[in-house]
Amino acid sequence: MDLFASPILVALQKQLNAAALTQRVIAHNVANVNTPGFKKSSVSFTEELRRALGEDVLPLVTSDPRHIGAPVPLARVEPTVVKEEGTTMGYNGNNVDIDQEMVNLAANTLTYQAAARALGDRLSLLTYVIRGR
């Protein structure tokens, strides 16, 4: 049995990776706030993680992993960057709203800190169990 392959540790690792990617995407959006024609990006991850963890509102019954609606294994869940082409905020075709980006940055910072704390606590618990003190 691999202690570090538990669903909780894998989910926390994936969440930290997604938060780090989100940080980079937000920084890229903010850096291009005045670039004409620039379209902002966002990270899609939360829904995929929920599906992989079985938190769907209405789970579908499948008998084969190739069936439509079969949950993606947790190890294969990855964050994806999505470009938002359909909106425009400024006269120059740019769709970056600096206020929204700052809100997203604050929320992402809290998400990262919570996941890092939970992972640290989990690893501390494993250390305690292994050492016996």
Side-chain angles (χ1 to χ4, degrees), residues 100-115:
Q100 183 63 46
E101 294 301 318
M102 292 297 105
V103 168
N104 293 344
L105 181 63
N108 186 59
T109 299
L110 292 174
T111 300
Y112 185 88
Q113 289 174 346

Side-chain angles (χ1 to χ4, degrees), residues 113-129:
Q113 289 174 346
R117 176 72 185 256
L119 184 60
D121 290 348
R122 193 73 175 184
L123 294 175
S124 293
L125 180 63
L126 284 175
T127 302
Y128 176 78
V129 169

Side-chain angles (χ1 to χ4, degrees), residues 36-82:
F38 179 81
K39 298 300 182 183
K40 69 180 179 177
S41 299
S42 61
V43 175
S44 173
F45 177 71
T46 306
E47 291 304 315
E48 291 83 2
L49 182 62
R50 282 189 180 142
R51 273 193 296 263
L53 293 174
E55 294 182 8
D56 280 348
V57 176
L58 181 62
L60 299 175
V61 176
T62 58
S63 59
D64 190 290
R66 296 173 294 177
H67 287 169
I68 294 175
V72 175
L74 185 58
R76 289 194 359 207
V77 173
E78 295 296 330
T80 56
V81 177
V82 179

